[in-house]
Amino acid sequence: MAQRRVLRTAIPGPRSLALAERRAAAVSAAVASTMPVYAARAGGGVVEDVDGNVLIDLGSGIAVTSVGSAAPRVVEAVRAQVEAFTHTCFMVTPYESYVAVAEELARLTPGDHAKRTALFTSGAEAVENAVKVARAATGRAAVVVVDHAYHGRTTLTMTMTAKVAPYKQGFGPFAPEVYRASASYPFRDGLTGEEALARTVATITTQVGAANVAAVVIEPIQGEGGFIVPAPGFLAGLARWCRDHGVLLVADEIQTGFARTGAMFACEHEGVVPDLVTMAKGIAGGLPLSAVTGRAELMDAVGPGGLGGTYGGNPLACAAALATLRTYEEDDLVGAARAIERLVLDRLRAAQAGDPRIGDVRGRGAMLAVELVDPTTGAPDAALTRAVAQAAHRAGVIVLTCGTDGNVLRLLPPLTIGPDLLAEGLDVVLDALAAQPG
Ligand code: PLZ
């Protein structure tokens, strides 16, 4: 696909508007979309819509298409698999690609201990299953999560998710034995990693009791909650505390995993080796696949038949994953993520120097963000954030927001985006911010 931004119609164009009408009459209004344009094709760093507009993609379908959408090696692998067989169910007649994905995840995830893997379909399902494994292996019930956490939309995982609207509103009662402690959020709390850890551990100790805790589940860089990078030492200290108390550390790397942060997994930046890792999104180039990889003795502590699901480790998704994982390594996409970090952070920091509404610039690799605030009060400015994103959308750039307070603009380009396209996308976003009154 030609890698350049093209605007042929207003955004949304007439075909997208017609589809929006059909959608309103057929699709639940509860399912929302960031942009009102309908996709026709995507690849590299662009998405082409049904009106022929070509948009710069700074979202990767929420951190999924890190190797690009319809990446050639993925397309080829899926095509070969779809002709061989589409499904047998691994629980009925297994197949090699599932085993090969498990071998690759054992090799790629942090730590050189013996590991085992189980495959599922969505990220939420991986988190659910990590909790099942942790409870079965420890004989304990409590699960500790932190402020600003996002872990999914099922009953257990929405309980583990921090933000009430839209994720939990009206959906209670929630799952039992989920407890919340503070996170490390340097821009807001001003604490060192050690200070933040002391606060988190005090909550767990006094309100839950270490001996009751099966697992602490945490995103090494918080995603939906605001692209929050914990203060140095917080995660490593938490891992140490877990080890000392027989509590499992579950790293939710669903958004951070697979080269996204300039390392294969974000835990590597902190030298942390989790007991269990949950993965999805970037694992399979856009096909639905998720995984839990963990210490062999934990993963094998569940009784036979205790984990599974009809579609878990679907053969098309496994074929895609093997091609995707090969692409990360052969094309050095970890290096590509680091190059994106250098290019984008420099630009964002320069913009911050001239605009007091940019309260914070943060992130790692190709998972970068700006937090927008009212310059006089420092209060989160969700309205400004929404206005900037919408202006960028109208100008042909897909950009997402996040944050518990909705005031974070996040950049998640495919790692295959070219530097010129990335710079242009960034120009559009920063121009959109500069154009907002304030
Ligand atoms: N854990 C860390 O980021 C999914 C959610 C978008 P699923 N994040 C995008 C939305 O509004 O639904 C996510 C994540 C982390 C778990 C999940 C859940 O993954 O594949 O969406 O179930």
Side-chain angles (χ1 to χ4, degrees):
M1 280 189 73
Q3 295 293 307
R4 58 194 175 83
R5 180 170 58 125
V6 179
L7 293 178
R8 288 190 201 287
T9 69
I11 302 278
R15 293 203 166 128
S16 278
L17 285 171
L19 282 166
E21 247 176 67
R22 278 172 56 195
R23 170 191 177 135
V27 178
S28 165
V31 183
S33 299
T34 303
M35 286 188 65
V37 299
Y38 286 73
R41 255 178 300 280
V46 297
V47 174
E48 184 176 340
D49 76 7
V50 290
D51 291 291
N53 299 300
V54 182
L55 315 171
I56 298 178
D57 183 10
L58 301 183
S60 302
I62 323 188
V64 171
T65 51
S66 302
V67 294
S69 200
R73 273 174 283 208
V74 174
V75 170
E76 196 37 57
V78 172
R79 184 171 294 155
Q81 181 59 48
V82 79
E83 284 172 1
F85 61 95
T86 51
H87 177 84
T88 60
C89 189
F90 193 75
M91 299 185 304
V92 179
T93 48
Y95 36 89
E96 180 182 352
S97 57
Y98 187 121
V99 178
V101 170
E103 289 167 345
E104 287 295 90
L105 295 179
R107 182 171 69 81
L108 293 170
T109 51
D112 49 17
H113 50 279
K115 297 171 194 164
R116 301 286 185 270
T117 288
L119 300 180
F120 306 97
T121 308
S122 69
E125 225 185 329
V127 175
E128 291 260 353
N129 280 280
V131 170
K132 283 163 75 171
V133 169
R135 285 176 170 160
T138 61
R140 302 173 179 184
V143 174
V144 172
V145 290
V146 298
D147 289 334
H148 309 288
Y150 185 91
H151 297 294
R153 291 177 181 267
T154 60
T155 295
L156 175 60
T157 60
M158 77 175 163
T159 306
M160 295 167 69
T161 291
K163 186 174 177 172
V164 64
Y167 307 122
K168 305 160 84 157
Q169 188 59 47
F171 299 149
F174 300 106
E177 290 300 323
V178 175
Y179 300 89
R180 194 171 309 281
S182 49
S184 167
Y185 194 158
F187 173 63
R188 297 232 185 139
D189 62 29
L191 301 178
T192 65
E194 220 167 76
E195 292 162 348
L197 178 67
R199 196 175 61 164
T200 303
V201 163
T203 304
I204 302 174
T205 307
T206 56
Q207 298 184 28
V208 196
N212 302 315
V213 180
V216 174
V217 182
I218 190 162
E219 302 154 83
I221 296 176
Q222 297 191 279
E224 303 303 305
F227 278 32
I228 307 160
V229 185
F234 176 80
L235 276 181
L238 189 61
R240 213 174 312 115
W241 181 87
C242 285
R243 195 170 342 103
D244 292 346
H245 292 85
V247 172
L248 302 183
L249 181 70
V250 180
D252 183 345
E253 292 253 17
I254 286 167
Q255 188 152 168
T256 50
F258 301 106
R260 174 56 54 186
T261 67
M264 207 55 188
F265 292 94
C267 279
E268 294 169 32
H269 296 292
E270 289 277 331
V272 165
V273 177
D275 299 295
L276 300 170
V277 186
T278 58
M279 295 158 275
K281 291 190 184 281
I283 192 173
L287 274 85
L289 185 73
S290 68
V292 182
T293 297
R295 295 187 184 281
E297 67 277 15
L298 305 174
M299 295 296 291
D300 288 344
V302 178
L307 303 179
T310 305
Y311 291 115
N314 168 271
L316 301 178
C318 285
L322 293 172
T324 301
L325 298 178
R326 198 163 8 99
T327 302
Y328 286 121
E329 292 188 302
E330 288 178 4
D331 294 356
D332 185 25
L333 294 185
V334 165
R338 290 186 180 165
I340 289 171
E341 173 179 326
R342 284 191 296 274
L343 192 151
V344 176
L345 274 189
D346 281 354
R347 294 284 315 278
L348 295 180
R349 291 207 174 111
Q352 183 184 27
D355 190 340
R357 298 174 299 178
I358 301 183
D360 195 24
V361 171
R362 59 179 179 249
R364 288 190 197 277
M367 183 173 183
L368 301 164
V370 294
E371 176 159 354
L372 299 180
V373 297
D374 179 317
T376 45
T377 63
D381 197 339
L384 173 64
T385 308
R386 206 175 316 114
V388 175
Q390 285 171 356
H393 298 162
R394 284 192 298 272
V397 174
I398 303 172
V399 65
L400 309 177
T401 62
C402 65
T404 302
D405 298 299
N407 68 319
V408 179
L409 281 171
R410 56 168 154 173
L411 306 174
L412 283 167
L415 306 179
T416 51
I417 195 170
D420 294 346
L421 205 58
L422 177 61
E424 186 184 339
L426 209 49
D427 284 342
V428 169
V429 173
L430 291 174
D431 288 352
L433 174 59
Q436 301 304 313

